[in-house]
Amino acid sequence: MEFFDTHSHYNDEKFDGDRKKIIEETFKEQVTKFVCAGYNIKSSKQAIELSEEYENIYAVCGISPNDVTQNVTEDVEELEKILDNKKISAIGEIGLDYYWEKGNKELQKELFIKQIELANKLELPIQIHTRDAAIDTIDILKSNPVKKKGIFHCCPLNKELVKEALKLDFYISFAGPITFKNCKNADEIIKMVPLERILIETDSPYLSPEPNRGKRNDSRNVRYIAEKVAKVKGKTIQEIAKITYQNAEQIFNIGGE
């Protein structure tokens, strides 16, 4: 049994003290491939560096809505300059976030659209971050079709968002929140998503699943996401591990062994 963690942040400062140790321990715990996602230029460069250091780490590079500046065009041009690397598997994490900042919605939209255009130019999928912005996110995807589709990372458990995302042929990636005891609609949302569209992730070092909620997260915890999905879908954890692994290789265009 092998797991593919489709979204993590080993470029985060929370791993500065023991990054190498955690990564090596992760590979020993059946998590044999994972993605390190950027959220600005600096972290995207760090993701690329990790992907070059480790054969089974893949980079996702982009500028998140929480890192938008007034210089959208210049920032995206700078991003494009670092993307000449075969280990870059998607543009992300990109999207909209109205939870932290509502005053820059138009800048966020401009950044999102320009990065979709970049993904289409490079023929890469996208990895989407959306928070409190479901309607605008879907509207932009409908108006700006993504050639290689993509993933709703740590997908909000919003029934309408998931329904529209599936109509657009996007993958739905589940993370720690589906295991939380106070998450009332996780089962319903998991049931909505066909097996061929499910991915699992940790979003390390954030959002540790039960039973490790509140602790620093790492990719070894992805098995708890798989266990939850397996329980709801009436499958074994081995079946979910295999299905989500194959789904990840497909969307990221990573060949199997």
Short mmCIF file of all heavy atoms in Angstrom, two decimals, residues 170-221:
data_model
loop_
_atom_site.label_atom_id
_atom_site.label_comp_id
_atom_site.label_asym_id
_atom_site.label_seq_id
_atom_site.Cartn_x
_atom_site.Cartn_y
_atom_site.Cartn_z
N PHE A 170 -13.12 18.86 -12.61
CA PHE A 170 -12.01 19.04 -11.68
C PHE A 170 -12.00 17.91 -10.66
O PHE A 170 -13.02 17.26 -10.40
CB PHE A 170 -12.12 20.39 -10.97
CG PHE A 170 -11.50 21.52 -11.74
CD1 PHE A 170 -12.10 21.99 -12.90
CD2 PHE A 170 -10.32 22.10 -11.31
CE1 PHE A 170 -11.53 23.02 -13.62
CE2 PHE A 170 -9.75 23.14 -12.03
CZ PHE A 170 -10.34 23.60 -13.19
N TYR A 171 -10.81 17.69 -10.09
CA TYR A 171 -10.67 16.73 -9.00
C TYR A 171 -10.96 17.43 -7.67
O TYR A 171 -10.71 18.64 -7.52
CB TYR A 171 -9.25 16.17 -8.96
CG TYR A 171 -8.93 15.20 -10.07
CD1 TYR A 171 -8.66 15.66 -11.37
CD2 TYR A 171 -8.86 13.84 -9.84
CE1 TYR A 171 -8.35 14.77 -12.39
CE2 TYR A 171 -8.54 12.94 -10.85
CZ TYR A 171 -8.30 13.42 -12.12
OH TYR A 171 -8.00 12.55 -13.13
N ILE A 172 -11.43 16.66 -6.70
CA ILE A 172 -11.71 17.17 -5.36
C ILE A 172 -10.72 16.52 -4.40
O ILE A 172 -10.66 15.29 -4.29
CB ILE A 172 -13.15 16.84 -4.91
CG1 ILE A 172 -14.17 17.38 -5.93
CG2 ILE A 172 -13.41 17.36 -3.51
CD1 ILE A 172 -14.15 18.88 -6.11
N SER A 173 -9.94 17.35 -3.73
CA SER A 173 -8.93 16.84 -2.80
C SER A 173 -9.40 17.07 -1.36
O SER A 173 -9.71 18.19 -0.97
CB SER A 173 -7.59 17.54 -3.03
OG SER A 173 -6.60 16.98 -2.19
N PHE A 174 -9.43 15.97 -0.60
CA PHE A 174 -9.87 16.04 0.79
C PHE A 174 -8.67 16.09 1.72
O PHE A 174 -7.66 15.41 1.49
CB PHE A 174 -10.74 14.82 1.13
CG PHE A 174 -12.07 14.81 0.42
CD1 PHE A 174 -12.36 13.84 -0.52
CD2 PHE A 174 -13.02 15.79 0.68
CE1 PHE A 174 -13.59 13.81 -1.16
CE2 PHE A 174 -14.25 15.78 0.03
CZ PHE A 174 -14.53 14.80 -0.89
N ALA A 175 -8.82 16.87 2.80
CA ALA A 175 -7.75 17.02 3.78
C ALA A 175 -8.31 16.79 5.19
O ALA A 175 -9.41 16.29 5.37
CB ALA A 175 -7.14 18.41 3.65
N GLY A 176 -7.54 17.19 6.18
CA GLY A 176 -7.87 16.94 7.58
C GLY A 176 -9.27 17.26 8.04
O GLY A 176 -9.84 16.52 8.85
N PRO A 177 -9.87 18.37 7.57
CA PRO A 177 -11.20 18.72 8.07
C PRO A 177 -12.26 17.64 7.94
O PRO A 177 -13.21 17.62 8.73
CB PRO A 177 -11.56 19.96 7.23
CG PRO A 177 -10.23 20.62 6.99
CD PRO A 177 -9.28 19.47 6.77
N ILE A 178 -12.14 16.72 6.98
CA ILE A 178 -13.18 15.69 6.86
C ILE A 178 -13.17 14.73 8.05
O ILE A 178 -14.14 13.99 8.24
CB ILE A 178 -13.07 14.89 5.54
CG1 ILE A 178 -11.80 14.04 5.48
CG2 ILE A 178 -13.23 15.79 4.33
CD1 ILE A 178 -11.77 13.04 4.34
N THR A 179 -12.09 14.74 8.83
CA THR A 179 -12.00 13.86 10.00
C THR A 179 -12.44 14.54 11.28
O THR A 179 -12.58 13.86 12.31
CB THR A 179 -10.56 13.35 10.20
OG1 THR A 179 -9.73 14.43 10.66
CG2 THR A 179 -10.00 12.76 8.93
N PHE A 180 -12.65 15.86 11.23
CA PHE A 180 -12.96 16.59 12.47
C PHE A 180 -14.32 16.17 13.02
O PHE A 180 -15.29 16.02 12.27
CB PHE A 180 -12.95 18.09 12.22
CG PHE A 180 -11.60 18.66 11.85
CD1 PHE A 180 -11.49 19.98 11.42
CD2 PHE A 180 -10.44 17.91 11.93
CE1 PHE A 180 -10.27 20.52 11.07
CE2 PHE A 180 -9.20 18.44 11.58
CZ PHE A 180 -9.12 19.75 11.16
N LYS A 181 -14.39 16.03 14.33
CA LYS A 181 -15.63 15.59 14.97
C LYS A 181 -16.78 16.57 14.78
O LYS A 181 -17.95 16.19 14.79
CB LYS A 181 -15.37 15.36 16.46
CG LYS A 181 -14.45 14.18 16.76
CD LYS A 181 -14.25 13.99 18.24
CE LYS A 181 -13.46 12.72 18.56
NZ LYS A 181 -12.08 12.80 18.07
N ASN A 182 -16.46 17.85 14.60
CA ASN A 182 -17.51 18.86 14.43
C ASN A 182 -17.85 19.13 12.97
O ASN A 182 -18.57 20.07 12.65
CB ASN A 182 -17.11 20.17 15.11
CG ASN A 182 -15.84 20.78 14.52
OD1 ASN A 182 -15.13 20.12 13.77
ND2 ASN A 182 -15.57 22.03 14.86
N CYS A 183 -17.32 18.31 12.07
CA CYS A 183 -17.60 18.48 10.64
C CYS A 183 -18.84 17.67 10.29
O CYS A 183 -18.80 16.45 10.18
CB CYS A 183 -16.41 18.02 9.81
SG CYS A 183 -16.62 18.32 8.05
N LYS A 184 -19.95 18.37 10.11
CA LYS A 184 -21.24 17.71 10.00
C LYS A 184 -21.57 17.19 8.59
O LYS A 184 -22.37 16.28 8.43
CB LYS A 184 -22.36 18.66 10.46
CG LYS A 184 -22.29 18.99 11.95
CD LYS A 184 -23.41 19.91 12.36
CE LYS A 184 -23.50 20.07 13.87
NZ LYS A 184 -22.25 20.53 14.47
N ASN A 185 -20.98 17.80 7.54
CA ASN A 185 -21.39 17.42 6.19
C ASN A 185 -20.31 16.68 5.40
O ASN A 185 -20.43 16.52 4.18
CB ASN A 185 -21.86 18.65 5.41
CG ASN A 185 -20.74 19.67 5.23
OD1 ASN A 185 -19.75 19.65 5.97
ND2 ASN A 185 -20.89 20.57 4.28
N ALA A 186 -19.26 16.22 6.08
CA ALA A 186 -18.17 15.55 5.37
C ALA A 186 -18.66 14.30 4.63
O ALA A 186 -18.34 14.10 3.46
CB ALA A 186 -17.05 15.19 6.34
N ASP A 187 -19.44 13.48 5.30
CA ASP A 187 -19.90 12.24 4.67
C ASP A 187 -20.70 12.52 3.41
O ASP A 187 -20.52 11.87 2.37
CB ASP A 187 -20.74 11.42 5.65
CG ASP A 187 -19.92 10.80 6.77
OD1 ASP A 187 -18.79 11.28 7.00
OD2 ASP A 187 -20.41 9.86 7.41
N GLU A 188 -21.59 13.50 3.49
CA GLU A 188 -22.42 13.84 2.34
C GLU A 188 -21.58 14.29 1.15
O GLU A 188 -21.82 13.88 0.01
CB GLU A 188 -23.41 14.95 2.72
CG GLU A 188 -24.31 15.39 1.58
CD GLU A 188 -25.21 16.57 1.94
OE1 GLU A 188 -24.96 17.19 3.01
OE2 GLU A 188 -26.13 16.85 1.18
N ILE A 189 -20.57 15.12 1.42
CA ILE A 189 -19.72 15.62 0.34
C ILE A 189 -18.88 14.49 -0.24
O ILE A 189 -18.73 14.37 -1.47
CB ILE A 189 -18.81 16.75 0.85
CG1 ILE A 189 -19.63 17.93 1.36
CG2 ILE A 189 -17.85 17.20 -0.25
CD1 ILE A 189 -20.45 18.64 0.32
N ILE A 190 -18.31 13.65 0.61
CA ILE A 190 -17.50 12.52 0.12
C ILE A 190 -18.33 11.62 -0.78
O ILE A 190 -17.87 11.16 -1.83
CB ILE A 190 -16.90 11.73 1.30
CG1 ILE A 190 -15.88 12.58 2.05
CG2 ILE A 190 -16.25 10.43 0.81
CD1 ILE A 190 -15.44 12.00 3.38
N LYS A 191 -19.56 11.38 -0.40
CA LYS A 191 -20.44 10.54 -1.21
C LYS A 191 -20.73 11.14 -2.57
O LYS A 191 -20.97 10.43 -3.55
CB LYS A 191 -21.76 10.29 -0.46
CG LYS A 191 -21.63 9.36 0.73
CD LYS A 191 -22.94 9.27 1.51
CE LYS A 191 -22.79 8.38 2.74
NZ LYS A 191 -24.03 8.35 3.55
N MET A 192 -20.70 12.47 -2.67
CA MET A 192 -20.97 13.15 -3.93
C MET A 192 -19.89 12.93 -4.97
O MET A 192 -20.15 12.99 -6.17
CB MET A 192 -21.09 14.68 -3.70
CG MET A 192 -22.34 15.16 -3.05
SD MET A 192 -22.27 16.96 -2.81
CE MET A 192 -22.10 17.56 -4.49
N VAL A 193 -18.66 12.71 -4.52
CA VAL A 193 -17.51 12.71 -5.42
C VAL A 193 -17.21 11.29 -5.90
O VAL A 193 -16.94 10.40 -5.09
CB VAL A 193 -16.27 13.30 -4.73
CG1 VAL A 193 -15.10 13.39 -5.71
CG2 VAL A 193 -16.57 14.68 -4.14
N PRO A 194 -17.26 11.06 -7.21
CA PRO A 194 -16.93 9.72 -7.73
C PRO A 194 -15.48 9.37 -7.44
O PRO A 194 -14.62 10.24 -7.34
CB PRO A 194 -17.20 9.83 -9.23
CG PRO A 194 -17.19 11.28 -9.53
CD PRO A 194 -17.62 12.00 -8.29
N LEU A 195 -15.23 8.09 -7.29
CA LEU A 195 -13.89 7.63 -6.93
C LEU A 195 -12.82 8.14 -7.89
O LEU A 195 -11.69 8.45 -7.46
CB LEU A 195 -13.85 6.10 -6.87
CG LEU A 195 -14.59 5.46 -5.70
CD1 LEU A 195 -14.67 3.95 -5.88
CD2 LEU A 195 -13.91 5.80 -4.38
N GLU A 196 -13.16 8.23 -9.16
CA GLU A 196 -12.17 8.66 -10.15
C GLU A 196 -11.84 10.15 -10.07
O GLU A 196 -10.98 10.65 -10.80
CB GLU A 196 -12.61 8.30 -11.56
CG GLU A 196 -13.86 9.01 -12.05
CD GLU A 196 -15.15 8.28 -11.74
OE1 GLU A 196 -15.13 7.39 -10.86
OE2 GLU A 196 -16.16 8.59 -12.38
N ARG A 197 -12.50 10.88 -9.14
CA ARG A 197 -12.23 12.31 -9.00
C ARG A 197 -11.72 12.67 -7.60
O ARG A 197 -11.57 13.84 -7.29
CB ARG A 197 -13.51 13.11 -9.30
CG ARG A 197 -13.78 13.26 -10.80
CD ARG A 197 -12.84 14.28 -11.41
NE ARG A 197 -13.05 14.43 -12.84
CZ ARG A 197 -12.33 13.85 -13.77
NH1 ARG A 197 -11.36 13.03 -13.43
NH2 ARG A 197 -12.56 14.06 -15.05
N ILE A 198 -11.43 11.67 -6.78
CA ILE A 198 -10.99 11.93 -5.40
C ILE A 198 -9.47 11.92 -5.28
O ILE A 198 -8.80 11.05 -5.82
CB ILE A 198 -11.58 10.89 -4.42
CG1 ILE A 198 -13.10 11.07 -4.30
CG2 ILE A 198 -10.95 11.03 -3.03
CD1 ILE A 198 -13.75 10.05 -3.39
N LEU A 199 -8.96 12.90 -4.54
CA LEU A 199 -7.56 12.95 -4.15
C LEU A 199 -7.50 13.15 -2.64
O LEU A 199 -8.47 13.59 -2.02
CB LEU A 199 -6.82 14.09 -4.85
CG LEU A 199 -6.75 14.02 -6.38
CD1 LEU A 199 -6.21 15.32 -6.94
CD2 LEU A 199 -5.87 12.85 -6.82
N ILE A 200 -6.35 12.83 -2.05
CA ILE A 200 -6.14 13.05 -0.62
C ILE A 200 -4.88 13.86 -0.40
O ILE A 200 -3.93 13.79 -1.19
CB ILE A 200 -6.08 11.71 0.15
CG1 ILE A 200 -5.02 10.77 -0.45
CG2 ILE A 200 -7.45 11.04 0.16
CD1 ILE A 200 -4.84 9.47 0.33
N GLU A 201 -4.88 14.62 0.67
CA GLU A 201 -3.74 15.51 0.96
C GLU A 201 -3.69 15.80 2.45
O GLU A 201 -4.64 15.54 3.19
CB GLU A 201 -3.89 16.83 0.20
CG GLU A 201 -5.12 17.62 0.63
CD GLU A 201 -5.13 19.05 0.12
OE1 GLU A 201 -4.54 19.91 0.79
OE2 GLU A 201 -5.75 19.30 -0.92
N THR A 202 -2.57 16.41 2.87
CA THR A 202 -2.45 16.83 4.27
C THR A 202 -2.47 18.34 4.45
O THR A 202 -2.86 18.83 5.49
CB THR A 202 -1.15 16.29 4.91
OG1 THR A 202 -0.03 16.77 4.15
CG2 THR A 202 -1.16 14.77 4.96
N ASP A 203 -2.01 19.08 3.44
CA ASP A 203 -1.79 20.53 3.60
C ASP A 203 -0.82 20.80 4.74
O ASP A 203 -0.93 21.80 5.44
CB ASP A 203 -3.11 21.28 3.81
CG ASP A 203 -3.02 22.76 3.47
OD1 ASP A 203 -2.06 23.15 2.78
OD2 ASP A 203 -3.89 23.54 3.90
N SER A 204 0.11 19.88 4.94
CA SER A 204 1.13 20.04 5.98
C SER A 204 1.84 21.39 5.84
O SER A 204 2.07 21.84 4.71
CB SER A 204 2.19 18.94 5.83
OG SER A 204 1.61 17.68 5.85
N PRO A 205 2.16 22.04 6.94
CA PRO A 205 2.07 21.58 8.34
C PRO A 205 0.74 21.94 9.02
O PRO A 205 0.65 21.91 10.25
CB PRO A 205 3.22 22.35 8.99
CG PRO A 205 3.24 23.66 8.25
CD PRO A 205 2.89 23.31 6.82
N TYR A 206 -0.27 22.28 8.22
CA TYR A 206 -1.54 22.74 8.77
C TYR A 206 -2.59 21.63 8.77
O TYR A 206 -2.44 20.60 8.12
CB TYR A 206 -2.04 23.95 7.96
CG TYR A 206 -0.99 25.01 7.82
CD1 TYR A 206 -0.27 25.15 6.63
CD2 TYR A 206 -0.65 25.84 8.88
CE1 TYR A 206 0.73 26.11 6.51
CE2 TYR A 206 0.34 26.79 8.78
CZ TYR A 206 1.04 26.92 7.58
OH TYR A 206 2.03 27.85 7.48
N LEU A 207 -3.68 21.86 9.48
CA LEU A 207 -4.90 21.04 9.41
C LEU A 207 -4.67 19.56 9.71
O LEU A 207 -5.18 18.69 9.01
CB LEU A 207 -5.57 21.19 8.03
CG LEU A 207 -6.06 22.59 7.67
CD1 LEU A 207 -6.58 22.60 6.24
CD2 LEU A 207 -7.15 23.04 8.63
N SER A 208 -3.96 19.27 10.77
CA SER A 208 -3.76 17.87 11.14
C SER A 208 -5.10 17.18 11.37
O SER A 208 -5.98 17.73 12.04
CB SER A 208 -2.94 17.78 12.43
OG SER A 208 -1.58 17.95 12.17
N PRO A 209 -5.25 15.99 10.83
CA PRO A 209 -6.51 15.26 11.02
C PRO A 209 -6.60 14.65 12.42
O PRO A 209 -5.60 14.54 13.13
CB PRO A 209 -6.43 14.17 9.95
CG PRO A 209 -4.96 13.90 9.83
CD PRO A 209 -4.29 15.24 10.01
N GLU A 210 -7.82 14.24 12.79
CA GLU A 210 -7.95 13.40 13.97
C GLU A 210 -7.21 12.09 13.69
O GLU A 210 -7.27 11.60 12.56
CB GLU A 210 -9.43 13.11 14.24
CG GLU A 210 -10.29 14.33 14.49
CD GLU A 210 -10.06 14.99 15.84
OE1 GLU A 210 -9.26 14.44 16.64
OE2 GLU A 210 -10.66 16.03 16.11
N PRO A 211 -6.47 11.54 14.63
CA PRO A 211 -6.41 11.88 16.05
C PRO A 211 -5.28 12.84 16.42
O PRO A 211 -4.96 12.95 17.61
CB PRO A 211 -6.16 10.50 16.67
CG PRO A 211 -5.26 9.83 15.67
CD PRO A 211 -5.74 10.30 14.32
N ASN A 212 -4.69 13.51 15.47
CA ASN A 212 -3.54 14.38 15.74
C ASN A 212 -3.88 15.86 15.60
O ASN A 212 -2.99 16.69 15.42
CB ASN A 212 -2.38 14.02 14.81
CG ASN A 212 -1.85 12.63 15.06
OD1 ASN A 212 -1.73 12.21 16.20
ND2 ASN A 212 -1.55 11.89 14.00
N ARG A 213 -5.15 16.18 15.64
CA ARG A 213 -5.58 17.57 15.47
C ARG A 213 -4.90 18.47 16.51
O ARG A 213 -4.80 18.12 17.69
CB ARG A 213 -7.10 17.68 15.61
CG ARG A 213 -7.64 19.04 15.22
CD ARG A 213 -9.15 19.08 15.21
NE ARG A 213 -9.63 20.38 14.80
CZ ARG A 213 -10.91 20.73 14.75
NH1 ARG A 213 -11.85 19.85 15.08
NH2 ARG A 213 -11.27 21.94 14.36
N GLY A 214 -4.43 19.62 16.03
CA GLY A 214 -3.76 20.57 16.91
C GLY A 214 -2.25 20.45 16.89
O GLY A 214 -1.55 21.35 17.35
N LYS A 215 -1.73 19.36 16.37
CA LYS A 215 -0.29 19.16 16.26
C LYS A 215 0.19 19.56 14.86
O LYS A 215 -0.61 19.69 13.94
CB LYS A 215 0.06 17.70 16.52
CG LYS A 215 -0.37 17.17 17.87
CD LYS A 215 -0.05 15.70 18.00
CE LYS A 215 -0.53 15.14 19.35
NZ LYS A 215 -0.27 13.68 19.46
N ARG A 216 1.49 19.75 14.72
CA ARG A 216 2.04 20.02 13.39
C ARG A 216 1.75 18.83 12.48
O ARG A 216 1.98 17.69 12.84
CB ARG A 216 3.55 20.27 13.47
CG ARG A 216 4.16 20.66 12.12
CD ARG A 216 5.66 20.76 12.18
NE ARG A 216 6.30 19.46 12.35
CZ ARG A 216 7.61 19.25 12.31
NH1 ARG A 216 8.43 20.27 12.11
NH2 ARG A 216 8.11 18.04 12.48
N ASN A 217 1.24 19.12 11.32
CA ASN A 217 0.87 18.07 10.38
C ASN A 217 2.07 17.70 9.49
O ASN A 217 2.94 18.52 9.23
CB ASN A 217 -0.28 18.57 9.50
CG ASN A 217 -1.07 17.45 8.85
OD1 ASN A 217 -0.85 16.29 9.12
ND2 ASN A 217 -2.00 17.82 7.99
N ASP A 218 2.10 16.46 9.05
CA ASP A 218 3.04 16.05 8.00
C ASP A 218 2.40 14.94 7.18
O ASP A 218 1.32 14.45 7.51
CB ASP A 218 4.41 15.65 8.57
CG ASP A 218 4.38 14.39 9.42
OD1 ASP A 218 4.02 13.32 8.89
OD2 ASP A 218 4.72 14.48 10.62
N SER A 219 3.04 14.55 6.11
CA SER A 219 2.43 13.66 5.11
C SER A 219 2.10 12.28 5.64
O SER A 219 1.27 11.57 5.06
CB SER A 219 3.34 13.54 3.88
OG SER A 219 3.43 14.77 3.21
N ARG A 220 2.68 11.87 6.74
CA ARG A 220 2.36 10.56 7.30
C ARG A 220 0.89 10.48 7.72
O ARG A 220 0.31 9.40 7.79
CB ARG A 220 3.28 10.25 8.49
CG ARG A 220 4.73 10.04 8.08
CD ARG A 220 5.64 9.92 9.27
NE ARG A 220 5.72 11.17 10.01
CZ ARG A 220 6.48 11.34 11.09
NH1 ARG A 220 7.21 10.34 11.55
NH2 ARG A 220 6.51 12.51 11.72
N ASN A 221 0.29 11.63 7.99
CA ASN A 221 -1.11 11.66 8.43
C ASN A 221 -2.11 11.50 7.28
O ASN A 221 -3.32 11.46 7.52
CB ASN A 221 -1.40 12.96 9.16
CG ASN A 221 -0.80 13.01 10.55
OD1 ASN A 221 -0.72 11.99 11.24
ND2 ASN A 221 -0.34 14.18 10.97
#
